[in-house]
Amino acid sequence: MAVHTTTQSLIKLQGVSKSYLQPNGQSITILSNINFDLPEGEIVALLGPSGSGKSTLMRMIAGLIPPSSGQIYYKDSLLRGLNPGAAIIFQNFALYPWLTVQENVELGLKAKGMSLEERRTKAIKMIDVIGLDGFEGAYPKELSGGMRQRVGFARALAVEPELLCMDEPFSALDVLTAENLRTELLDLWLEKRMPTKSILIVTHSIEEAVTLADRIIVLGRNPGRIRADFRVDINHYRDRKSPQFEAYVDRIYRIITHPDQDDLPEIRQDVKSTAQEPPEPVKYQSLPLVRIGAIAGFVEILENRQGDLYRLAQEMLLELDDLYPIVEAAKMMELVSLKEGDIHLTQVGKKFIDGSIDQRKGIIRQQILQNIRLIKQIYASLTASPKQRISGEFFLELLQPYFTQNEAQRQLDTAIAWGRYAELFVYDEPSGEIYIEPIEHNSPVN
Ligand code: ADP
Ligand code: MG
């Protein structure tokens, strides 16, 4: 008998786009030209800022909505209507309040045309697997958020889906509960206690993606499209403190905070090399487009708080992806450090908070001169030039090989804005020149 070892694709997307007609009659493209394969045996994370079409993409794969163009295949046949192999777990649990736990779990089985007896047996088994024993007769409102999401898991898994789709399933839960459920999900998956062949999880938490996924697909917005697609080569269960883990997290940070630079090559070699030695110095870091005022405000909020970025964003009623560039900038200046998804103020960050305006400027001056190559270079060039004045074009030219034209301009603008705040140099709009202000007030102390 022939043994087939080929990994079949469970789902294949070819040129999938989705647009909607707006009330004014114009069409708006939500997702554009999405192509990928989901083979069996993988956990795949769809990661991206809100509005990048993650939920829309997942709904199309589950067959809840059709694509506007392109094809979705389920096991090589064109998907029409509901995907027979998929089940979805939603962020807000989506339970029926008037049904008990058991009835909620049985719901999906009824749709599969199972007998009452079969439904009962299957539901009870899944309720047991998912740790809801004893709660069969409870109503959703009597349960904690974590228990409700367990019902969501039990309901989805009871139908024994080949593809389990999860749309931010942990994000409405407190940190601890989320972590427990994540680990339990991994247990079920790794120990093959669930019949599911692939898991597709939508998330906008970088840490969650790197914790769970064998492969991460990063989406960008306007329109939603694939910006990166790579494997995570770390064995489960993953140590969030390991250099490999951090290298992936850093890589994804960079992608998300730089919407104009896609990252489509493989990540593999980079991660391996960072494990042994520091990576090749990048010629120029990509500066997130963030004002120092925003960084200062953020660092102040952190003063009496540490912890999980996601929680912090929630407390501030901010989207995590609006916070990422600020965090990235504060990290570059070493005002904060990130460990295992938790953000901490550094000693420098604490000094910054306690400082007067002048002291703050001094701290930023020191931090950006130390850490930001472009700023260091501008400052060094200015001090070396007899007139202490250089055209911005000069620096644009230097950036040209590493950035697109627009991005180079944005990089220079950001460097100038930071340098101005720190009173390192100023910018003369009409001439397009950067110069060091002649300092009369700064007479030697004595
Ligand atoms: P994500 O899950 O990544 O946050 P969504 O898939 O929910 O993104 O939405 C992507 C974009 O599509 C958003 O800008 C949203 O407003 C828009 N959108 C989603 N559904 C519809 C719809 N039915 N009609 C019009 N626009 C929609
Ligand atoms: Mg969504």
Side-chain angles (χ1 to χ4, degrees):
M1 201 170 80
V3 179
H4 296 277
T5 49
T6 44
T7 41
Q8 195 183 9
S9 339
L10 206 51
I11 302 286
K12 191 195 286 281
L13 277 79
Q14 277 178 354
V16 168
S17 300
K18 182 74 186 172
S19 1
Y20 283 109
L21 217 51
Q22 290 179 297
N24 65 9
Q26 275 185 342
S27 164
I28 176 168
T29 301
I30 306 296
L31 283 162
S32 162
N33 191 26
I34 306 288
N35 297 285
F36 63 81
D37 261 30
L38 293 182
E40 292 182 359
E42 286 186 350
I43 302 181
V44 178
L46 283 177
L47 181 72
S50 61
S52 55
K54 303 183 295 295
S55 296
T56 304
L57 189 54
M58 178 164 280
R59 289 198 179 99
M60 288 196 291
I61 290 171
L64 297 173
I65 50 173
S68 306
S69 59
Q71 289 83 38
I72 300 177
Y73 296 91
Y74 166 64
K75 289 183 165 173
D76 297 333
S77 55
L78 194 63
L79 188 63
R80 286 195 190 84
L82 276 185
N83 187 329
I88 293 201
I89 297 171
F90 296 97
Q91 174 184 3
N92 55 7
F93 324 132
L95 304 178
Y96 291 103
W98 59 87
L99 298 181
T100 63
V101 165
Q102 173 146 356
E103 288 162 345
N104 266 291
V105 174
E106 284 180 18
L107 212 62
L109 300 172
K110 208 169 183 173
K112 291 230 147 176
M114 271 183 206
S115 73
L116 187 74
E117 198 60 27
E118 268 181 296
R119 284 191 331 244
R120 191 128 300 170
T121 319
K122 276 235 152 69
I124 286 175
K125 182 173 161 241
M126 208 32 84
I127 283 172
D128 184 35
V129 168
I130 228 73
L132 283 165
D133 235 4
F135 290 92
E136 294 85 350
Y139 287 91
K141 68 169 188 303
E142 301 168 325
L143 304 176
S144 67
M147 292 303 270
R148 281 183 215 170
Q149 192 55 303
R150 282 178 194 273
V151 182
F153 274 91
R155 184 180 55 193
L157 290 175
V159 305
E160 305 188 339
E162 294 192 293
L163 175 67
L164 180 64
C165 295
M166 305 194 282
D167 194 347
E168 309 206 20
F170 306 111
S171 61
L173 306 175
D174 67 89
V175 181
L176 209 65
T177 308
E179 190 57 24
N180 286 339
L181 265 182
R182 245 179 243 126
T183 309
E184 285 182 43
L185 174 75
L186 267 182
D187 291 344
L188 289 175
W189 169 255
L190 296 169
E191 292 163 16
K192 302 199 180 348
R193 283 191 281 137
M194 56 201 230
T196 298
K197 296 196 170 130
S198 296
I199 297 180
L200 184 64
I201 176 171
V202 162
T203 176
H204 63 239
S205 159
I206 296 174
E207 295 273 331
E208 181 168 288
V210 181
T211 301
L212 294 176
D214 300 306
R215 173 174 162 206
I216 297 177
I217 297 175
V218 182
L219 295 181
R221 58 184 160 192
N222 300 322
R225 66 201 188 281
I226 294 180
R227 298 195 46 227
D229 180 348
F230 52 80
R231 308 196 52 75
V232 179
D233 279 323
I234 315 176
N235 290 336
H236 286 296
Y237 298 77
R238 294 174 181 158
D239 174 6
R240 295 189 182 186
K241 285 178 231 166
S242 71
Q244 292 97 322
F245 193 99
E246 285 182 354
Y248 281 109
V249 170
D250 285 349
R251 181 72 166 257
I252 300 169
Y253 258 105
R254 240 175 294 142
I255 300 168
I256 290 185
T257 50
H258 300 96
D260 294 330
Q261 291 168 269
D262 289 353
D263 179 3
L264 291 163
E266 267 284 340
I267 191 172
R268 234 172 264 227
Q269 297 85 353
D270 282 58
V271 169
K272 283 209 178 111
S273 68
T274 49
Q276 295 130 10
E277 51 192 316
E280 283 277 299
V282 199
K283 190 81 189 197
Y284 293 99
Q285 307 116 304
S286 283
L287 310 178
L289 308 184
V290 170
R291 278 178 249 239
I292 301 284
I295 300 168
F298 174 66
V299 172
E300 280 166 9
I301 289 169
L302 277 183
E303 182 168 15
N304 297 311
R305 245 172 301 208
Q306 315 255 304
D308 190 68
L309 256 188
Y310 187 80
R311 276 288 279 271
L312 201 64
Q314 275 186 327
E315 269 178 54
M316 296 161 72
L317 303 179
L318 276 177
E319 294 291 346
L320 197 50
D321 29 280
D322 293 328
L323 210 52
Y324 278 140
I326 301 175
V327 174
E328 175 75 4
K331 210 173 82 178
M332 278 185 177
M333 296 178 192
E334 297 180 335
L335 301 175
V336 301
S337 65
L338 270 168
K339 281 215 179 71
E340 299 169 66
D342 281 356
I343 185 154
H344 302 268
L345 276 179
T346 58
Q347 286 307 318
V348 182
K350 287 187 186 130
K351 262 198 229 152
F352 178 85
I353 290 177
D354 295 335
S356 64
I357 289 183
D358 276 344
Q359 285 166 330
R360 285 184 173 201
K361 282 178 192 266
I363 290 169
I364 296 293
R365 191 179 310 142
Q366 172 195 322
Q367 293 308 105
I368 59 182
L369 273 180
Q370 251 169 42
N371 297 300
I372 314 292
R373 186 187 159 100
L374 177 57
I375 290 179
K376 213 186 300 186
Q377 199 169 43
I378 294 174
Y379 188 68
S381 309
L382 288 173
T383 45
S385 103
K387 286 193 285 179
Q388 307 213 311
R389 187 178 265 277
I390 296 175
S391 163
E393 291 288 333
F394 173 71
F395 298 105
L396 278 181
E397 205 61 42
L398 295 178
L399 292 172
Q400 229 46 275
Y402 306 98
F403 299 97
T404 64
Q405 198 172 339
N406 287 339
E407 185 56 29
Q409 185 65 56
R410 278 192 287 260
Q411 289 293 312
L412 183 62
D413 291 346
T414 304
I416 291 173
W418 291 1
R420 278 169 91 164
Y421 172 92
E423 297 178 357
L424 279 172
F425 40 74
V426 279
Y427 182 64
D428 181 39
E429 194 88 50
S431 70
E433 286 176 332
I434 305 168
Y435 63 98
I436 295 181
E437 205 152 30
I439 331 166
E440 285 111 35
H441 61 269
N442 197 8
S443 45
V445 196
N446 239 349

